Structures are given as structure tokens and as C-alpha cells.
Amino acid sequence: MLRKDENELLTRVGPGTPMGELFRRFWLPAALSEELTEPGGTPVRLRILGEDLLAFRDSSGKIGIIEAYCSHRQAPLFFGRNENCAIQCPYHGWRFDVNGECVEVPNSQNYLRDTPNAKERLAIVAYPTHEAGEIVWIYMGPREHKPDFPNFEFTKVPKGYCHASRWLQRSNWLQGAEGEIDTSHISFAHKDLSAGHEKVGITGLQYSMEDDSPVLSVKETDYGFMSGSRRHYGGKYFWRMTQWMTPMFSLIPRAPSDDFTSGGGRAWVPVDDNNTITFAYNFRVDRPLSQPELQLIEEGAHFPPRMKRGTVQLDEGHRIDTWLPSANIDNDYLVDREAQKTINFTGIWGVNEQDRCLQESLRATGARDRGIVDRSREHLVGSDLAIVAARRRLLRMIKTLQQGEPLKELARGDLYSIRAVSKVCDIADFDAFIEAYRTDALAS
Ligand code: FES
Ligand SMILES: [Fe+2]
């Protein structure tokens, strides 16, 4: 369990909240590159950490993420004209560039020239951005504390080696992130009852089905921790070593292999306290993703009809553009009770859907906070080891930040150049396993 005050600390993410300020020290995924390909193209409405934002690629090709509303009379810049290296407000024509600077006030020609501090007063919020790994990233913290960009391997591979996607999750970020590091649910929520299911091979999930009670180990590192799960498999051990990288990135291995050249992971970016955007990345380091691999990834994410591009109105009015899952809380995730008897453990199709169903449907703290689970009611057991470690680590990081001390998690971008590992072998001890398959040494 987690005390109510600690639950509050970890789940509230708006400006000025302790966890919100911690998130603002990290580079965060904001949108997909594919949403912003065209210079002067359609902007994308976002909300991140409770702030309403607009992402656009200006006519010269530069990406900007700025406040979503005009500083004149608060018109939505989404409906504006994206041309001449600025977004022009559709109401009275004020123009804002990727830095949030107001570069023209055409309905009051001399205002900018004649008014003291006019540029500062009319400027809207704009955040630094970075494009890597098919994702547009944002840094929303104090400029003087901007860290190195985290060098995840998937952000360094050539084009075609990496695929990224994103979608809306109707829950607080933490229950998504906790689902990701909870390795014991794989033997249940993702169990496949139909032998020979053709989708299972690439993920390696079938190796987790022989043993429902894995031995878990956690080893803290500067970036977060490595989490090892050891299951019996065919007279040997099946190891799955994943990484949790603060504040909410995961690395997940594919099927057991000798060289660990492919992997994936997810990141849980808070929209606000009750909503999250899940980012998923899949990549290889040795060659481009093949057509069958891409097809499998697409089917698991953006492929219609399972998800469609859409716009959704959030609780406090702002609309965001994202991908919306077809199986969702309003249709019970299309649960099929017959399939639950014969096909898979949940009767819900797809790993992402199974995860999202459980993470979105946990018992809520209250009507106003429908997306935040009440962790004071939990009864944690040994298999929740990694979740406990993550909560403690985040609470420690909040304290470190409040005391004005540096976060070791942000000391170097190359802390994040690591790989997840999946392996069938005879090694029984986690430290010995790490020694044999050191992934920080493997990563290029
Ligand atoms: S509200 Fe934007 S120019 Fe008037
Ligand atoms: Fe899962």
C-alpha cells in the first residue's frame, strides 16, 4: 500500500506540484514525427503535465511547441494559419513563431514598436524541442537545468530501424508505469490459451507460461533499476531483464536471443492527473525492421480498426489530437467471454488492450479523480517488489529536487544507452546473470 499523502505526491502532475516539477526536469516524448512532417502543415493539439500546448512545423521546417492560445484574447491558435515562419491567430492576425515570440500585431500596427516591453508581454510559452527516434520531444523545465538528451538506442538508429506510436490512456500516468514494471502479470493478463497462436513467437511471451511464480530481483542503477524475473523453462531458467528508467520509460526485450539486437518499450507521459499518452517504441539495432515485423507492430498499435486518429475533449475543455483505441472503457474493451474460455486469459484481444483495460479500470480514488487508483487499499506481496522500488525511488527523487540537490538520474545522457535482455540459460543468480550479459557494455 501507499499512504494517501504519498499517493497524492506521486500522482499530481500539474505546474507547481512536486511530481510535476520532477517530470519537468526530463526530456519527454510529446508527439510523433509522422504527425509533423509537412512544413506549414496542420498543427497538433497536446496537453502535457496539465498544460495546453500546440505543436507545429513552421514553413521553414522548424518544430515548435507553444502555448495553445493567443495572448491577445485567448483564441485557439490551432485554427490559425501556419505560414511565413509563424502561426497566425485566426481572430485578429497576431503572429507567433516557434519560440513563442509575437512577431507581428497587424491590427495595431505600431504596438510592437512603440510599447515598452511589448515583445515580453505578448510572448506565449514555448518549450525546447528535439526530434529523435520518430518522436518529437519536449523539455518543460527551467532552462538552466536542461539535461543532456537521453541517448536511448532507439533514438540513435537509422531511419527504418525504429517505429513509434502513441495513444490515449484514460488513467493517471503512474498506474500505466506500474503496470509496465509488474512482470508477474504477464503469466496471467497476457496468457494465451490457444497453443500455437501465431502472434506469440516474436514477443517471447510463451516462455513465461510454464511458470506463474517468477523469482524477482531488482538492482538499482543511476538511471533507475534493472528488474530480473527468473522462471523455470524446459529444465533451464528463462530470464527476462527489463529496465525502468526514471521517471517512466521502460525497455522490454523480445524473444530470447544471443545478441539482444531488438527490443521495445513504452513511456507514460502525463496529459493531466487523469489522462496519459502511452508512447510505444520498437526497434532493431542490426537492420531495418522487416515488413512482417512492422505489420505486427502496426497491428498492435495504430492499425485500424483497433485505433483511429481522432480528437478528444478533455475534462477541462481543451481538445487534444491523438490516437484513440477502439476497445475502451465505454465498451468493456470488447471483452469476449467465449474467447476467455478458449483463446486467452482475459477474453480481450491484444497485449496493449489487456494492459490498458486493467490500468484504466483500477478502483478510483473518487469521482473527481476517476483515473487515480487508491493505493491505500492495496495488499502488496513479493511479486510487487519492482513497484515498491519504483515508488520509493520517485519519492526520494522528489525530496532530492526539493532540497535543491542534483539528480544523479540526469547526470549523463548516455546512462540511457542500455538494452533489455531475454535469455534461456543455466544461470540462477541475478548478479551472475548481469555479469554475463551486461547490457550497458552491449549498447553502442
Ligand atoms: S485573439 Fe489572437 S489575435 Fe486576437
Ligand atoms: Fe502487460
Side-chain angles (χ1 to χ4, degrees), residues 348-369:
I348 293 168
W349 201 94
V351 169
N352 287 319
E353 282 78 358
Q354 291 155 6
D355 281 332
R356 200 162 35 75
C357 162
L358 295 158
Q359 294 163 8
E360 289 182 336
S361 312
L362 299 176
R363 186 202 291 247
T365 308
R368 202 172 64 82
D369 294 316

Side-chain angles (χ1 to χ4, degrees), residues 70-75 77 89-94 96 107:
C70 174
S71 55
H72 178 214
R73 283 171 46 210
Q74 305 297 302
L77 294 172
C89 179
Y91 214 170
H92 315 95
W94 292 21
F96 299 89
N107 64 338

Side-chain angles (χ1 to χ4, degrees), residues 106-157:
N107 64 338
S108 188
Q109 285 284 349
N110 300 328
Y111 185 83
L112 277 182
R113 197 193 59 207
D114 298 343
T115 315
N117 303 326
K119 274 213 149 59
E120 291 76 45
R121 286 169 53 200
L122 302 190
I124 55 177
V125 173
Y127 291 114
T129 62
H130 181 74
E131 198 175 1
E134 304 298 317
I135 288 173
V136 176
W137 301 69
I138 187 170
Y139 173 72
M140 296 171 69
R143 300 289 166 116
E144 66 276 21
H145 294 300
K146 182 152 70 79
D148 286 353
F149 184 75
N151 280 318
F152 297 103
E153 273 198 294
F154 73 90
T155 67
K156 296 189 294 183
V157 293

